Amino acid sequence: MRLKRLLEAIGRLEAQMQRPFDVDASEYPFKDHWMPYGDGMIHYVDEGQGPVILLLHGNPTWSYLYRNVIKDLSGECRLIALDYPGLGMSQAPSDYGYSPKEHSDAVTEFIRRLDLKDFVLVVQDWGGPIGFNYAVRHHENLRGIVVMNTWAWPATLPAIKLFSLAMGGWPFGYWLQTRRNFFAKKIVPHGIYHTEKITDILRKAYTDPFPTPKSRKPTWIFPRQIRKARPWLAEIEAKLPILSHLPAQILWGMKDSAGFPPGEMAKWQGYLKLNETESLDMPPTTCRKIGRTG
């Protein structure tokens, strides 16, 4: 009865909620779903029927990142993609600090309340630590993992440490993110591989979630947490061997050598013993094959 009342309440809420910004309907043709979280709201999409796939994004992206994957696979699978509190269309609770641990706690609660079972976890960028913090604690609830250019351990590469200091530092990094919306305006378009040009529609989808300096704070906290979350990341890495029995697909973009060089891919191959790995130089045919996530 409690679950039934919760679903009824969510249904009433969805009828009342409106998108905080517009998205091109041909690009993102999905029904919006909303889940109360504290005094905030988690936005998510839930498309298709079949085996459950949970898609976790990074910084400063949101469920829009996976729009092509969802459109390509919704005839075969049930695909669920949420926006972390404070990103995309989700509203953060008033006491939220935007740390990856808090995002992982939100994802864990989201999974519990949707009663997701025996699902495939798909992670990219910060979705790795956020998702693997759940995975190492609830591995019995996973049927498989898909890993794309991510990590789940303390950073050791000098370039990443420098990136954290520059982009997540004070005052320059704070100013760059909150005043210039640097991640959404510059880093995201630069990091997307497309056979066609990056359109104004795409740029708008990534900048519109951050209309004010205050709303952009999460994009500054993420790179800062590369340094600040070292103990939390070390806890996750220590438990990664428990996942060695799970089937895993590693899809690795080889043109991302500055942030995620092949050595990081090799670490995943060591932890996820039952892996199939595909290194991607990103020709057009491969982009179509994986449902391009730009």
Coordinates of all heavy atoms in Angstrom, one line a residue, residues 77-165:
C77 N 14.8 -2.5 -24.8 CA 15.2 -2.4 -23.4 C 14.3 -1.3 -22.7 O 13.8 -0.5 -23.4 CB 16.6 -2.1 -23.2 SG 17.8 -3.2 -24.0
R78 N 14.3 -1.4 -21.4 CA 13.8 -0.2 -20.6 C 15.0 0.6 -20.2 O 15.8 0.1 -19.4 CB 13.0 -0.8 -19.4 CG 12.5 0.3 -18.5 CD 11.9 -0.2 -17.2 NE 11.5 0.8 -16.3 CZ 11.2 0.6 -15.0 NH1 11.2 -0.6 -14.5 NH2 10.8 1.7 -14.3
L79 N 15.0 1.8 -20.7 CA 16.2 2.7 -20.4 C 15.7 3.8 -19.5 O 14.8 4.5 -19.7 CB 16.7 3.3 -21.7 CG 17.3 2.2 -22.6 CD1 16.4 2.0 -23.9 CD2 18.7 2.5 -23.0
I80 N 16.5 4.0 -18.4 CA 16.2 5.0 -17.4 C 17.4 5.9 -17.2 O 18.5 5.4 -17.0 CB 15.9 4.3 -16.0 CG1 14.7 3.4 -16.2 CG2 15.6 5.4 -15.0 CD1 14.4 2.5 -15.0
A81 N 17.2 7.2 -17.4 CA 18.3 8.1 -17.2 C 17.8 9.3 -16.3 O 16.8 9.9 -16.7 CB 18.8 8.6 -18.6
L82 N 18.5 9.5 -15.2 CA 18.1 10.6 -14.3 C 19.1 11.7 -14.4 O 20.2 11.6 -14.9 CB 18.0 10.1 -12.9 CG 19.3 9.9 -12.1 CD1 19.2 10.0 -10.6 CD2 19.9 8.5 -12.5
D83 N 18.7 12.9 -14.0 CA 19.5 14.1 -13.8 C 19.9 14.2 -12.3 O 19.0 14.2 -11.5 CB 18.9 15.4 -14.3 CG 18.3 15.2 -15.7 OD1 18.8 14.4 -16.5 OD2 17.4 16.0 -16.0
Y84 N 21.2 14.3 -12.0 CA 21.5 14.4 -10.6 C 20.9 15.8 -10.0 O 20.8 16.7 -10.8 CB 23.0 14.4 -10.4 CG 23.8 13.3 -11.0 CD1 25.0 13.5 -11.7 CD2 23.3 12.0 -11.0 CE1 25.7 12.5 -12.3 CE2 24.0 11.0 -11.6 CZ 25.2 11.2 -12.3 OH 25.9 10.2 -12.9
P85 N 20.6 15.8 -8.8 CA 20.1 17.1 -8.2 C 21.1 18.3 -8.5 O 22.3 18.2 -8.3 CB 20.1 16.8 -6.7 CG 19.9 15.3 -6.6 CD 20.7 14.8 -7.8
G86 N 20.5 19.3 -9.1 CA 21.2 20.5 -9.4 C 21.8 20.5 -10.8 O 22.4 21.5 -11.3
L87 N 21.6 19.4 -11.6 CA 22.0 19.3 -13.0 C 20.8 18.9 -13.8 O 19.8 18.4 -13.3 CB 23.1 18.2 -13.1 CG 24.5 18.7 -12.6 CD1 24.7 18.3 -11.2 CD2 25.6 18.2 -13.5
G88 N 20.9 19.3 -15.1 CA 19.7 19.0 -16.0 C 18.5 19.7 -15.5 O 18.5 20.9 -15.2
M89 N 17.4 19.0 -15.4 CA 16.1 19.5 -15.0 C 15.8 19.3 -13.5 O 14.8 19.6 -13.0 CB 15.0 19.0 -15.8 CG 15.1 19.4 -17.3 SD 13.6 19.0 -18.2 CE 14.1 19.3 -19.9
S90 N 16.8 18.6 -12.8 CA 16.5 18.3 -11.4 C 16.8 19.5 -10.5 O 17.8 20.2 -10.7 CB 17.4 17.1 -11.0 OG 17.0 15.9 -11.6
Q91 N 16.0 19.6 -9.5 CA 16.2 20.6 -8.5 C 16.8 20.0 -7.2 O 16.3 19.1 -6.7 CB 14.8 21.3 -8.1 CG 14.9 22.3 -7.1 CD 13.5 22.8 -6.7 OE1 12.5 22.5 -7.4 NE2 13.4 23.4 -5.5
A92 N 17.9 20.6 -6.8 CA 18.6 20.1 -5.6 C 17.8 20.5 -4.3 O 17.3 21.6 -4.2 CB 20.0 20.6 -5.5
P93 N 17.9 19.6 -3.3 CA 17.4 20.0 -2.0 C 18.1 21.2 -1.4 O 19.3 21.5 -1.8 CB 17.6 18.8 -1.1 CG 17.7 17.7 -2.1 CD 18.3 18.2 -3.3
S94 N 17.5 22.0 -0.5 CA 18.1 23.2 -0.1 C 19.4 23.0 0.7 O 20.3 23.9 0.7 CB 17.1 24.0 0.8 OG 16.7 23.1 1.9
D95 N 19.6 21.8 1.3 CA 20.9 21.6 2.0 C 21.9 20.7 1.2 O 22.8 20.2 1.8 CB 20.5 20.9 3.3 CG 19.8 19.5 3.1 OD1 19.4 19.3 2.0 OD2 19.7 18.8 4.1
Y96 N 21.7 20.7 -0.1 CA 22.5 19.8 -0.9 C 23.9 20.5 -1.2 O 24.0 21.7 -1.4 CB 21.8 19.6 -2.2 CG 22.2 18.3 -3.0 CD1 21.8 17.1 -2.5 CD2 22.9 18.4 -4.2 CE1 22.2 15.9 -3.2 CE2 23.2 17.2 -4.9 CZ 22.8 16.0 -4.4 OH 23.1 14.9 -5.1
G97 N 25.0 19.6 -1.1 CA 26.3 20.2 -1.4 C 26.9 19.8 -2.7 O 28.0 20.2 -3.0
Y98 N 26.2 19.0 -3.6 CA 26.7 18.7 -4.9 C 27.9 17.8 -5.0 O 28.6 17.8 -6.0 CB 26.9 20.0 -5.8 CG 25.7 20.9 -5.7 CD1 25.7 22.1 -5.0 CD2 24.5 20.6 -6.4 CE1 24.7 23.0 -5.0 CE2 23.4 21.5 -6.3 CZ 23.5 22.6 -5.6 OH 22.4 23.5 -5.6
S99 N 28.3 17.2 -3.9 CA 29.5 16.3 -4.0 C 29.1 15.0 -4.7 O 27.9 14.6 -4.7 CB 30.0 16.0 -2.6 OG 29.1 15.1 -1.9
P100 N 30.1 14.3 -5.3 CA 29.7 13.0 -5.9 C 29.2 12.0 -4.9 O 28.3 11.2 -5.3 CB 31.1 12.5 -6.5 CG 32.1 13.3 -5.8 CD 31.5 14.6 -5.4
K101 N 29.6 12.0 -3.7 CA 29.0 11.1 -2.7 C 27.5 11.4 -2.5 O 26.7 10.5 -2.4 CB 29.7 11.2 -1.3 CG 29.1 10.3 -0.3 CD 29.8 10.4 1.1 CE 29.2 9.4 2.1 NZ 27.7 9.5 2.2
E102 N 27.1 12.7 -2.4 CA 25.7 13.0 -2.3 C 24.9 12.6 -3.6 O 23.8 12.1 -3.5 CB 25.6 14.5 -2.1 CG 26.0 15.0 -0.7 CD 26.1 16.5 -0.6 OE1 27.0 17.1 -1.3 OE2 25.2 17.1 0.1
H103 N 25.5 12.8 -4.7 CA 24.9 12.3 -6.0 C 24.7 10.8 -5.9 O 23.6 10.3 -6.4 CB 25.7 12.7 -7.2 CG 25.8 14.2 -7.5 ND1 24.6 15.0 -7.4 CD2 26.8 15.0 -7.9 CE1 25.0 16.2 -7.7 NE2 26.3 16.2 -8.0
S104 N 25.7 10.1 -5.4 CA 25.6 8.6 -5.4 C 24.5 8.2 -4.4 O 23.7 7.3 -4.6 CB 26.9 8.0 -5.0 OG 26.9 6.6 -5.0
D105 N 24.4 9.0 -3.3 CA 23.3 8.7 -2.3 C 21.9 8.9 -3.0 O 21.0 8.1 -2.7 CB 23.4 9.6 -1.1 CG 24.6 9.2 -0.2 OD1 25.2 8.1 -0.4 OD2 25.0 10.1 0.6
A106 N 21.9 10.0 -3.8 CA 20.6 10.2 -4.5 C 20.3 9.1 -5.5 O 19.1 8.7 -5.6 CB 20.7 11.6 -5.2
V107 N 21.3 8.6 -6.2 CA 21.1 7.5 -7.2 C 20.7 6.3 -6.4 O 19.7 5.6 -6.9 CB 22.4 7.3 -8.0 CG1 22.3 6.0 -8.7 CG2 22.6 8.4 -8.9
T108 N 21.3 6.0 -5.3 CA 20.9 4.8 -4.5 C 19.5 4.9 -4.0 O 18.7 3.9 -4.1 CB 21.8 4.7 -3.3 OG1 23.2 4.5 -3.7 CG2 21.5 3.5 -2.4
E109 N 19.0 6.1 -3.6 CA 17.6 6.2 -3.2 C 16.7 6.1 -4.4 O 15.6 5.6 -4.3 CB 17.5 7.6 -2.5 CG 16.1 7.9 -2.0 CD 15.5 7.0 -0.9 OE1 16.3 6.1 -0.4 OE2 14.3 7.1 -0.6
F110 N 17.1 6.7 -5.5 CA 16.3 6.6 -6.7 C 16.1 5.1 -7.1 O 15.0 4.7 -7.5 CB 17.1 7.4 -7.8 CG 16.5 7.3 -9.2 CD1 15.5 8.2 -9.5 CD2 16.9 6.4 -10.1 CE1 14.9 8.2 -10.8 CE2 16.3 6.4 -11.4 CZ 15.3 7.3 -11.7
I111 N 17.2 4.3 -7.1 CA 17.1 2.9 -7.4 C 16.1 2.2 -6.5 O 15.3 1.4 -6.9 CB 18.5 2.3 -7.4 CG1 19.3 2.8 -8.6 CG2 18.4 0.7 -7.5 CD1 20.8 2.4 -8.4
R112 N 16.2 2.5 -5.2 CA 15.4 1.9 -4.2 C 13.9 2.2 -4.4 O 13.1 1.3 -4.4 CB 15.8 2.3 -2.8 CG 15.1 1.6 -1.7 CD 15.3 2.2 -0.3 NE 14.7 3.5 -0.2 CZ 13.4 3.7 0.1 NH1 12.6 2.6 0.3 NH2 13.0 4.9 0.2
R113 N 13.6 3.5 -4.7 CA 12.3 3.9 -4.8 C 11.6 3.5 -6.1 O 10.4 3.2 -6.1 CB 12.2 5.4 -4.6 CG 12.4 5.8 -3.1 CD 12.7 7.3 -2.9 NE 11.5 8.1 -3.2 CZ 11.5 9.4 -3.1 NH1 12.6 10.0 -2.6 NH2 10.5 10.1 -3.4
L114 N 12.4 3.3 -7.2 CA 11.9 2.7 -8.4 C 11.9 1.2 -8.4 O 11.4 0.6 -9.3 CB 12.6 3.2 -9.6 CG 12.3 4.6 -10.2 CD1 13.1 4.9 -11.5 CD2 10.8 4.8 -10.4
D115 N 12.5 0.6 -7.3 CA 12.5 -0.8 -7.2 C 13.2 -1.5 -8.4 O 12.7 -2.5 -8.9 CB 11.1 -1.4 -6.9 CG 11.2 -2.8 -6.4 OD1 12.2 -3.1 -5.7 OD2 10.2 -3.6 -6.6
L116 N 14.3 -0.9 -8.8 CA 15.0 -1.5 -10.0 C 15.8 -2.7 -9.5 O 16.5 -2.7 -8.6 CB 16.0 -0.4 -10.5 CG 15.4 0.9 -10.9 CD1 16.5 1.8 -11.5 CD2 14.2 0.7 -11.9
K117 N 15.6 -3.8 -10.3 CA 16.2 -5.1 -10.0 C 17.0 -5.6 -11.2 O 16.5 -5.4 -12.4 CB 15.2 -6.1 -9.6 CG 14.3 -5.7 -8.4 CD 15.1 -5.7 -7.1 CE 14.2 -5.4 -5.9 NZ 14.9 -5.3 -4.6
D118 N 18.1 -6.3 -11.0 CA 18.8 -7.0 -12.0 C 19.0 -6.2 -13.3 O 18.6 -6.5 -14.4 CB 18.0 -8.3 -12.4 CG 18.8 -9.3 -13.2 OD1 20.0 -9.3 -13.1 OD2 18.1 -9.9 -14.1
F119 N 19.6 -5.0 -13.1 CA 19.8 -4.1 -14.2 C 21.2 -3.9 -14.6 O 22.2 -4.3 -13.9 CB 19.2 -2.7 -13.8 CG 19.9 -2.0 -12.7 CD1 21.0 -1.2 -12.9 CD2 19.4 -2.2 -11.4 CE1 21.6 -0.5 -11.8 CE2 20.0 -1.5 -10.3 CZ 21.1 -0.7 -10.5
V120 N 21.4 -3.4 -15.8 CA 22.7 -3.1 -16.4 C 23.0 -1.6 -16.0 O 22.2 -0.7 -16.3 CB 22.7 -3.3 -17.9 CG1 24.1 -2.8 -18.5 CG2 22.5 -4.7 -18.2
L121 N 24.2 -1.4 -15.5 CA 24.6 0.0 -15.1 C 25.5 0.5 -16.1 O 26.5 -0.1 -16.5 CB 25.3 -0.1 -13.7 CG 25.9 1.2 -13.2 CD1 24.7 2.2 -12.8 CD2 26.8 1.0 -12.0
V122 N 25.2 1.7 -16.7 CA 26.0 2.3 -17.7 C 26.6 3.6 -17.1 O 25.8 4.5 -16.6 CB 25.2 2.6 -19.0 CG1 26.1 3.3 -20.0 CG2 24.6 1.4 -19.5
V123 N 27.9 3.8 -17.2 CA 28.5 5.0 -16.6 C 29.5 5.6 -17.5 O 30.1 5.0 -18.3 CB 29.2 4.6 -15.2 CG1 28.3 4.0 -14.2 CG2 30.4 3.6 -15.5
Q124 N 29.6 6.9 -17.3 CA 30.6 7.7 -18.1 C 31.0 8.9 -17.3 O 30.2 9.5 -16.5 CB 29.8 8.2 -19.4 CG 30.6 9.1 -20.3 CD 30.4 10.6 -20.1 OE1 29.5 11.0 -19.4 NE2 31.3 11.4 -20.7
D125 N 32.3 9.3 -17.4 CA 32.8 10.5 -16.6 C 32.5 10.3 -15.1 O 32.8 9.3 -14.6 CB 32.2 11.8 -17.2 CG 32.8 13.0 -16.7 OD1 34.0 13.3 -17.0 OD2 32.2 13.8 -16.0
W126 N 31.9 11.3 -14.4 CA 31.7 11.2 -13.0 C 30.6 10.2 -12.7 O 30.4 9.8 -11.5 CB 31.2 12.6 -12.5 CG 32.4 13.4 -12.0 CD1 32.9 14.5 -12.6 CD2 33.1 13.2 -10.7 NE1 33.9 15.0 -11.8 CE2 34.1 14.3 -10.7 CE3 33.0 12.3 -9.7 CZ2 35.0 14.4 -9.6 CZ3 33.9 12.4 -8.6 CH2 34.9 13.4 -8.6
G127 N 29.9 9.7 -13.7 CA 29.0 8.6 -13.5 C 29.7 7.4 -13.0 O 29.1 6.5 -12.3
G128 N 31.0 7.2 -13.3 CA 31.8 6.1 -12.8 C 31.8 6.0 -11.3 O 31.3 5.1 -10.7
P129 N 32.4 7.0 -10.6 CA 32.4 7.0 -9.1 C 31.0 6.9 -8.5 O 30.8 6.2 -7.6 CB 33.2 8.2 -8.8 CG 34.0 8.6 -10.0 CD 33.2 8.1 -11.1
I130 N 30.1 7.7 -9.1 CA 28.8 7.8 -8.6 C 28.1 6.4 -8.7 O 27.4 6.0 -7.7 CB 28.0 8.9 -9.3 CG1 28.5 10.3 -8.9 CG2 26.5 8.8 -9.0 CD1 28.0 11.4 -9.8
G131 N 28.2 5.8 -9.8 CA 27.6 4.5 -10.0 C 28.3 3.3 -9.3 O 27.7 2.4 -8.8
F132 N 29.6 3.4 -9.3 CA 30.4 2.3 -8.7 C 30.3 2.3 -7.2 O 30.5 1.3 -6.5 CB 31.8 2.2 -9.2 CG 32.0 1.5 -10.5 CD1 31.8 2.1 -11.7 CD2 32.2 0.1 -10.5 CE1 32.0 1.4 -12.9 CE2 32.3 -0.6 -11.7 CZ 32.2 0.0 -12.9
N133 N 30.0 3.5 -6.6 CA 29.8 3.5 -5.2 C 28.6 2.7 -4.8 O 28.5 2.0 -3.8 CB 29.6 4.9 -4.7 CG 29.5 5.0 -3.2 OD1 30.3 4.6 -2.4 ND2 28.4 5.7 -2.8
Y134 N 27.6 2.7 -5.7 CA 26.4 1.8 -5.6 C 26.8 0.4 -5.9 O 26.4 -0.6 -5.1 CB 25.3 2.3 -6.5 CG 24.1 1.3 -6.5 CD1 23.1 1.4 -5.5 CD2 24.0 0.3 -7.4 CE1 22.0 0.5 -5.5 CE2 23.0 -0.6 -7.4 CZ 22.0 -0.5 -6.4 OH 20.9 -1.4 -6.4
A135 N 27.5 0.2 -7.0 CA 27.8 -1.2 -7.5 C 28.5 -2.0 -6.5 O 28.2 -3.2 -6.3 CB 28.5 -1.1 -8.8
V136 N 29.5 -1.5 -5.8 CA 30.3 -2.3 -4.9 C 29.5 -2.6 -3.6 O 29.9 -3.6 -2.9 CB 31.6 -1.6 -4.5 CG1 32.5 -1.4 -5.8 CG2 31.4 -0.2 -3.8
R137 N 28.5 -1.9 -3.4 CA 27.6 -2.2 -2.2 C 26.4 -3.1 -2.5 O 25.8 -3.6 -1.6 CB 27.2 -0.9 -1.5 CG 28.4 -0.2 -0.9 CD 28.0 1.2 -0.5 NE 29.1 1.8 0.3 CZ 30.3 2.3 -0.2 NH1 30.5 2.2 -1.5 NH2 31.2 2.8 0.6
H138 N 26.0 -3.1 -3.8 CA 24.8 -3.8 -4.2 C 25.1 -4.6 -5.4 O 24.2 -4.7 -6.3 CB 23.7 -2.8 -4.4 CG 23.4 -1.9 -3.2 ND1 22.6 -2.3 -2.2 CD2 23.8 -0.7 -3.0 CE1 22.5 -1.4 -1.3 NE2 23.2 -0.3 -1.7
H139 N 26.2 -5.3 -5.5 CA 26.6 -6.0 -6.8 C 25.6 -7.1 -7.1 O 25.4 -7.5 -8.3 CB 28.0 -6.6 -6.6 CG 28.2 -7.5 -5.5 ND1 28.0 -8.9 -5.6 CD2 28.4 -7.3 -4.2 CE1 28.2 -9.5 -4.5 NE2 28.5 -8.5 -3.6
E140 N 24.9 -7.6 -6.1 CA 23.9 -8.7 -6.3 C 22.7 -8.2 -7.1 O 22.0 -9.0 -7.7 CB 23.5 -9.3 -5.0 CG 22.6 -8.4 -4.2 CD 23.2 -7.3 -3.5 OE1 24.5 -7.3 -3.4 OE2 22.5 -6.4 -3.0
N141 N 22.6 -6.9 -7.2 CA 21.4 -6.3 -8.0 C 21.8 -6.0 -9.4 O 20.9 -5.4 -10.1 CB 20.9 -5.1 -7.2 CG 19.5 -4.8 -7.6 OD1 18.7 -5.6 -8.0 ND2 19.1 -3.5 -7.5
L142 N 23.0 -6.2 -9.8 CA 23.4 -5.9 -11.2 C 23.5 -7.1 -12.0 O 24.0 -8.2 -11.6 CB 24.8 -5.2 -11.1 CG 24.8 -3.8 -10.3 CD1 26.2 -3.3 -10.4 CD2 23.8 -2.8 -10.9
R143 N 23.2 -7.0 -13.3 CA 23.4 -8.1 -14.3 C 24.5 -7.8 -15.2 O 25.0 -8.7 -15.9 CB 22.1 -8.3 -15.1 CG 21.7 -7.2 -16.0 CD 20.4 -7.4 -16.7 NE 20.4 -8.7 -17.5 CZ 19.3 -9.2 -18.0 NH1 18.1 -8.7 -17.8 NH2 19.3 -10.3 -18.7
G144 N 25.0 -6.6 -15.2 CA 26.2 -6.2 -16.0 C 26.5 -4.7 -15.9 O 25.8 -4.0 -15.3
I145 N 27.7 -4.4 -16.4 CA 28.2 -3.0 -16.4 C 28.7 -2.6 -17.7 O 29.4 -3.4 -18.4 CB 29.3 -2.9 -15.3 CG1 28.8 -3.3 -13.9 CG2 29.9 -1.5 -15.2 CD1 29.9 -3.4 -12.9
V146 N 28.5 -1.3 -18.1 CA 29.1 -0.7 -19.3 C 29.9 0.5 -18.8 O 29.3 1.4 -18.2 CB 28.0 -0.3 -20.3 CG1 28.7 0.3 -21.5 CG2 27.2 -1.5 -20.8
V147 N 31.1 0.5 -19.2 CA 32.1 1.5 -18.7 C 32.6 2.3 -19.9 O 33.1 1.7 -20.9 CB 33.3 0.9 -18.0 CG1 34.3 2.0 -17.7 CG2 32.8 0.2 -16.7
M148 N 32.4 3.6 -19.9 CA 32.9 4.5 -21.0 C 33.7 5.7 -20.4 O 33.2 6.5 -19.7 CB 31.7 5.1 -21.7 CG 30.8 4.0 -22.4 SD 29.5 4.7 -23.4 CE 28.5 5.5 -22.1
N149 N 35.0 5.7 -20.6 CA 35.9 6.8 -20.2 C 35.5 7.3 -18.8 O 35.0 8.4 -18.7 CB 35.9 7.8 -21.3 CG 36.5 7.4 -22.6 OD1 36.1 6.4 -23.2 ND2 37.6 8.0 -23.0
T150 N 35.9 6.6 -17.8 CA 35.6 7.0 -16.5 C 36.6 6.4 -15.5 O 37.6 5.8 -16.0 CB 34.2 6.6 -16.1 OG1 33.9 7.1 -14.8 CG2 34.1 5.1 -16.0
W151 N 36.5 6.6 -14.3 CA 37.4 6.1 -13.2 C 36.6 5.9 -11.9 O 35.5 6.3 -11.8 CB 38.5 7.0 -13.0 CG 38.3 8.2 -12.1 CD1 38.8 8.3 -10.9 CD2 37.4 9.3 -12.3 NE1 38.3 9.5 -10.3 CE2 37.5 10.1 -11.1 CE3 36.6 9.7 -13.3 CZ2 36.7 11.3 -11.0 CZ3 35.8 10.8 -13.2 CH2 35.9 11.6 -12.1
A152 N 37.2 5.2 -11.0 CA 36.6 5.1 -9.6 C 37.7 4.9 -8.6 O 37.6 3.9 -7.8 CB 35.6 3.9 -9.6
W153 N 38.7 5.7 -8.6 CA 39.8 5.7 -7.7 C 40.5 7.0 -7.6 O 40.2 7.9 -8.4 CB 40.9 4.7 -8.3 CG 41.1 4.8 -9.8 CD1 41.8 5.7 -10.5 CD2 40.5 3.9 -10.8 NE1 41.7 5.5 -11.8 CE2 41.0 4.4 -12.0 CE3 39.8 2.7 -10.7 CZ2 40.6 3.8 -13.2 CZ3 39.4 2.1 -11.9 CH2 39.9 2.6 -13.2
P154 N 41.3 7.3 -6.6 CA 42.0 8.6 -6.5 C 42.8 8.9 -7.7 O 43.5 8.0 -8.3 CB 42.8 8.4 -5.3 CG 42.2 7.3 -4.5 CD 41.6 6.4 -5.5
A155 N 42.8 10.1 -8.2 CA 43.5 10.5 -9.4 C 45.0 10.5 -9.1 O 45.5 11.0 -8.0 CB 43.1 11.9 -9.8
T156 N 45.8 10.0 -10.0 CA 47.2 10.0 -9.9 C 47.9 10.7 -11.0 O 49.1 11.1 -10.9 CB 47.8 8.5 -9.8 OG1 47.3 7.8 -11.0 CG2 47.2 7.8 -8.6
L157 N 47.3 10.9 -12.1 CA 47.9 11.5 -13.3 C 48.1 13.0 -13.0 O 47.2 13.7 -12.6 CB 47.0 11.4 -14.5 CG 46.7 9.9 -14.9 CD1 45.7 9.9 -16.1 CD2 48.0 9.3 -15.4
P158 N 49.3 13.5 -13.2 CA 49.6 15.0 -13.0 C 48.6 15.9 -13.7 O 48.2 16.9 -13.2 CB 51.0 15.1 -13.5 CG 51.6 13.8 -13.3 CD 50.5 12.8 -13.6
A159 N 48.3 15.5 -15.0 CA 47.4 16.4 -15.7 C 46.0 16.5 -15.1 O 45.4 17.6 -15.1 CB 47.3 15.8 -17.2
I160 N 45.5 15.4 -14.5 CA 44.2 15.5 -13.9 C 44.3 16.3 -12.6 O 43.3 17.1 -12.3 CB 43.7 14.1 -13.6 CG1 43.6 13.3 -14.9 CG2 42.4 14.1 -12.8 CD1 42.6 13.9 -15.9
K161 N 45.3 16.2 -11.8 CA 45.5 17.0 -10.6 C 45.6 18.4 -11.0 O 45.0 19.3 -10.3 CB 46.8 16.5 -9.9 CG 46.7 15.1 -9.3 CD 48.0 14.8 -8.6 CE 48.0 13.4 -8.0 NZ 49.2 13.1 -7.2
L162 N 46.3 18.8 -12.0 CA 46.4 20.2 -12.5 C 45.0 20.7 -12.9 O 44.6 21.8 -12.6 CB 47.4 20.3 -13.6 CG 47.6 21.7 -14.2 CD1 48.2 22.6 -13.1 CD2 48.6 21.6 -15.3
F163 N 44.3 19.8 -13.7 CA 42.9 20.2 -14.1 C 42.0 20.5 -12.9 O 41.3 21.5 -12.9 CB 42.4 19.0 -14.9 CG 40.9 19.2 -15.3 CD1 40.5 19.9 -16.4 CD2 39.9 18.6 -14.5 CE1 39.2 20.0 -16.8 CE2 38.6 18.7 -14.9 CZ 38.2 19.4 -16.0
S164 N 42.1 19.7 -11.9 CA 41.3 19.9 -10.7 C 41.7 21.2 -10.0 O 40.8 22.0 -9.6 CB 41.5 18.7 -9.7 OG 40.8 18.9 -8.5
L165 N 42.9 21.5 -9.9 CA 43.4 22.8 -9.3 C 42.9 24.0 -10.1 O 42.5 25.0 -9.6 CB 44.9 22.8 -9.2 CG 45.5 22.0 -8.1 CD1 47.0 21.8 -8.2 CD2 45.2 22.6 -6.7

